Amino acid sequence: MDEYRKSIEDGIVESYRQDEDMMIMVFAQWCINEGLNPEELYMQAYPQQQSNERLQRVLELTVSKEEAGPIPDDTVLGVLSLFGNEDLAFIVSEAISRRAQKN
């Protein structure tokens, strides 16, 4: 029974990790599409962290703006909030506001 429970727990943790990676991917690709540096925005939100290894890994999977489909602002904000990244969502909101002011 313990082995079965451990297997289920491991599966849940792995599923969450994959979902979290997808959230990071949405954020990173949105940044690329908007001409922003994902690492810079991340550091603004979380200056106490030296580097985010998972962000580094996901950045290797991003594509150019021309290759990517559009990612609506609401989508990236929703995904960040869903995973409790309120600080990063705030920084993204500020970037959206700056973009709106330029237009």
Side-chain angles (χ1 to χ4, degrees):
M1 184 69 165
D2 287 333
E3 192 171 313
Y4 177 72
R5 177 175 278 145
K6 174 91 169 103
S7 175
I8 289 176
E9 288 174 2
D10 289 348
I12 291 170
V13 168
E14 182 58 30
S15 177
Y16 184 81
R17 186 172 290 127
Q18 288 173 356
D19 290 347
E20 213 173 29
D21 283 347
M22 184 55 67
M23 176 267 306
I24 296 167
M25 181 61 162
V26 169
F27 162 71
Q29 190 62 59
W30 177 85
C31 288
I32 301 297
N33 292 358
E34 298 299 322
L36 301 168
N37 183 322
E39 294 172 298
E40 286 179 12
L41 263 62
Y42 186 86
M43 290 303 294
Q44 288 176 28
Y46 305 107
Q48 70 282 5
Q49 291 185 11
Q50 294 293 341
S51 178
N52 185 310
E53 185 178 309
R54 291 173 73 188
L55 177 58
Q56 296 294 320
R57 191 169 15 97
V58 168
L59 283 174
E60 296 174 10
L61 303 175
T62 59
V63 295
S64 69
K65 177 180 180 175
E66 294 74 30
E67 294 176 79
I71 300 174
D73 297 341
D74 289 344
T75 298
V76 72
L77 290 171
V79 170
L80 291 172
S81 292
L82 182 67
F83 282 87
N85 284 313
E86 302 302 331
D87 293 340
L88 190 53
F90 179 77
I91 297 298
V92 167
S93 293
E94 287 182 333
I96 292 168
S97 293
R98 283 192 302 273
R99 181 189 66 210
Q101 290 173 357
K102 288 180 183 178
N103 293 333

